[in-house]
Each structure stands twice: as C-alpha cells, then as structure tokens.
Amino acid sequence: MKTNNTAHSLWQNGYQKITIISSVDKKTQNAYFYPTTSAYPKPLVVSLHTWSGDYDSFDSLAILSKQKDVNYIHPSFRGPNKTREACLSQLALADIDDAIEFAVAKGNVDTTQIHVIGKSGGGLAAIGAYMKSKHQLNTVSAWVPITDLAQWHTEVLIRQKEYAMDILKCTSSNNTIFDIQIANERSPINWPTPLEKRKNTRLLLYAGIYDGITGSVPISHSIDYYNKVLQDYEAKDSASFVSEKEELLLLKQKKGAAFQMKIDGRRVLLKKKYKKVQLCIFDGGHEMLTQFAFKALFENN
C-alpha cells in the first residue's frame, strides 16, 4: 500500500485538483484531473478508487495516463464506502457521470474513447457505471469486483469484519441491522443490463484465482455477474457461459482449462467471451495487473 506521502507526491506532479458540483444535490466532490496536452482529441480514462479509498489515494493509472498523454480523472463519488451516500447510491453514480462531463468539457476528449476502470470497490463502481451511466462508454474494465453486496456481507462477516461494518454503514440507518433490501438495491447482480445502450461497450472482467482466500472478494462475484449479463443478452451457446463444473473446478482445485495464454506473465486459468463481454480468471489474488489493464483499454481502438 502506498503511503499518504507517496500519494501526495504523485498528485503534485502535474495533476489538477478540481471541484465538481453535483448535478443532483449540489454538493461538491473533489477529483484529480489531467487534461491531454495534445491538439487532437484523446481518450479519457476514468479511474475509480477502491472500497476504502478516495480521489486522493495513490493511483498508478494516473502515471500511465500522463505518460501516454491521455485525459484522466480520478473522482471521489462520495468517498470511501462507509456511508449511505457512497457505495453505488444514486448520488455516487451521478457523481461519476458528473466527473465524465467535467473531463469532456475541460479536456480535449475523444468522446468515442471513454474508458472506465476500477479495482475491488472501484470494480464495483465501474460495473455500476456500465449498468447505469448515461454516457456512451467504450470500455469498462473491472478487476476483482464486488457484484453482490448481500453475498459479500456474508463472506466477510467473520474474517474481515471491517468490511462487514462498512456494508452496515452503507445500508443501515443505525449501523446495527443489516438491511438486505438496500444491499440488493446497490448490487449490480440484480440490475437489468441496458442491452441496447451497451451493445458497443467492451466489458472486461478480471479476477485472481486466490482472491477470497488471500484477498477479500471471491471469484464467484465476477463469474456470477458475467453469466448474468450473458443471460440478459439471451446468449444461446452454452459454451460461452461459465458452467457449474468449471466454476467448481476453479473454486475447489484452483485449476482451469489448459490455456497456454498469459497476461502480464500470469497463467490464465479460464477465459470466456460473448460479443463484447469478456471474463478472465488469472493466477493471482486481489489485485489489478496495472500495466496490462491500462494497455487493454486501448487494444481494439
């Protein structure tokens, strides 16, 4: 984990601290912003902070975006997931859209190249944007995402109590009684996929096989959400889905098909694709392979 001093040093190196007024409740959110210096429109990378992070947390994607000289924004969207206003609330989702609008207005943005990316809680937010953003998105990349808050609450209740308490704070007015209805309302696994709006958007889902053991989010969150999106698309080819047998093999034996493929030097244990929706289970834990993830945003563009 990067220290506060390291994060501070990063943001002092050519990034603008900006303030955006919410289009919903007129509250302000902070963000760090890098506008391209190019005279020609460039892509926009919308990097979403982790579960406990915020706009000023260290982000390697900021460095890579500046090196490539593409537009970049790192919004707060109601901060760490410890309040009712955070954690995929309508306010938080609107904040992400507001950040995109700010970047488009203030940067030289190619609006056909808007890329949203996040890890863990940022992966949850990225999927939230895929499901509910009003903007046309080119790519949504979600690494080790949470997709079902009710399920995750059960999973972390004993081993990672701090996250269980965070979920209570996000869903309960008194922080003592878990409100499963609100948890379900904040869970993309339960939302209808906007098929027509996202038919040209790439959705990239990545999960490390040991997450949920050495990390906090089991791979079932990515697998179940991937299968859910394919069901919404009414995919006919059963081979495009992750079968119960394949999932059981991954969960119990940490084994997958005999892929020769690697990403960033890591073995790929399972890869599935349907149209523009892709799932990759790799040999790793609760992490984003940052260099690979950044490059993958622009692969088909």
Side-chain angles (χ1 to χ4, degrees):
M1 181 181 293
K2 302 291 184 178
T3 66
N4 289 337
N5 287 339
T6 305
H8 180 76
S9 297
L10 165 66
W11 301 122
Q12 296 304 305
N13 191 25
Y15 304 89
Q16 301 174 13
K17 182 178 177 181
I18 54 94
T19 300
I20 305 167
I21 299 175
S22 168
S23 59
V24 178
D25 66 356
K26 306 308 177 186
K27 288 187 178 180
T28 59
Q29 72 159 320
N30 292 324
Y32 276 104
F33 176 54
Y34 174 81
T36 179
T37 61
S38 172
Y40 302 97
K42 286 288 198 78
L44 168 64
V45 174
V46 184
S47 180
L48 303 178
H49 64 72
T50 58
W51 180 270
S52 302
D54 206 338
Y55 76 99
D56 55 356
S57 301
F58 184 88
D59 183 21
S60 297
L61 293 168
I63 299 170
L64 297 175
S65 297
K66 186 181 175 187
Q67 288 174 348
K68 193 175 176 69
D69 194 27
V70 297
N71 301 282
Y72 164 92
I73 195 161
H74 194 233
S76 179
F77 58 100
R78 308 288 157 153
N81 289 317
K82 298 178 187 225
T83 68
R84 287 285 291 270
E85 288 191 349
C87 197
L88 284 196
S89 71
Q90 293 304 311
L91 292 169
L93 288 165
D95 282 354
I96 295 171
D97 273 351
D98 290 343
I100 294 172
E101 287 189 8
F102 178 95
V104 169
K106 300 298 184 181
N108 193 358
V109 175
D110 177 351
T111 55
T112 69
Q113 298 288 315
I114 297 175
H115 308 284
V116 179
I117 184 169
K119 166 195 163 187
S120 189
L124 169 68
I127 290 173
Y130 178 82
M131 300 294 265
K132 293 195 174 182
S133 175
K134 64 184 179 182
H135 296 284
Q136 290 295 338
L137 307 175
N138 182 294
T139 310
V140 172
S141 178
W143 288 75
V144 294
I146 303 142
T147 62
D148 186 333
L149 281 176
Q151 175 182 318
W152 198 48
H153 181 261
T154 300
E155 290 163 348
V156 301
L157 194 55
I158 296 175
R159 194 159 66 91
Q160 288 141 336
K161 291 184 178 180
E162 69 275 17
Y163 294 127
M165 181 55 67
D166 287 348
I167 297 169
L168 281 180
K169 291 176 181 177
C170 291
T171 61
S172 172
S173 59
N174 57 16
N175 297 340
T176 58
I177 300 172
F178 176 58
D179 191 326
I180 193 168
Q181 179 178 341
I182 294 177
N184 285 333
E185 289 171 358
R186 303 282 182 97
S187 299
I189 195 77
N190 300 318
W191 300 351
T193 306
L195 305 179
E196 184 62 27
K197 189 173 185 65
R198 294 296 174 233
K199 65 182 180 181
N200 295 317
T201 299
R202 291 188 304 147
L203 175 61
L204 310 178
L205 303 168
Y206 298 93
I209 188 66
Y210 296 105
D211 202 359
I213 300 172
T214 60
S216 55
V217 184
I219 62 172
S220 56
H221 283 260
S222 294
I223 292 172
D224 292 348
Y225 177 73
Y226 169 82
N227 281 342
K228 171 261 190 310
V229 173
L230 265 61
Q231 288 170 355
D232 286 354
Y233 273 107
E234 299 183 347
K236 303 300 183 187
D237 183 5
S238 61
S240 297
F241 290 84
V242 181
S243 69
E244 289 184 7
K245 182 178 179 180
E246 288 172 316
E247 185 170 4
L248 191 62
L249 188 65
L250 288 166
L251 289 170
K252 283 196 167 185
Q253 299 183 30
K254 305 298 178 282
K255 292 180 181 178
F259 283 100
Q260 299 301 312
M261 184 185 308
K262 291 187 176 182
I263 59 170
D264 202 27
R266 308 290 189 87
R267 289 184 306 123
V268 171
L269 301 174
L270 180 138
K271 185 172 183 180
K272 295 281 183 174
K273 185 175 182 181
Y274 176 77
K275 294 185 176 179
K276 289 185 174 289
V277 182
Q278 177 180 304
L279 170 70
C280 177
I281 308 296
F282 64 94
D283 188 3
H286 191 68
E287 59 188 316
M288 175 191 289
L289 306 179
T290 310
Q291 294 274 356
F292 171 87
F294 183 79
K295 183 179 178 182
L297 294 178
F298 310 103
E299 276 185 349
N300 295 338
N301 302 299

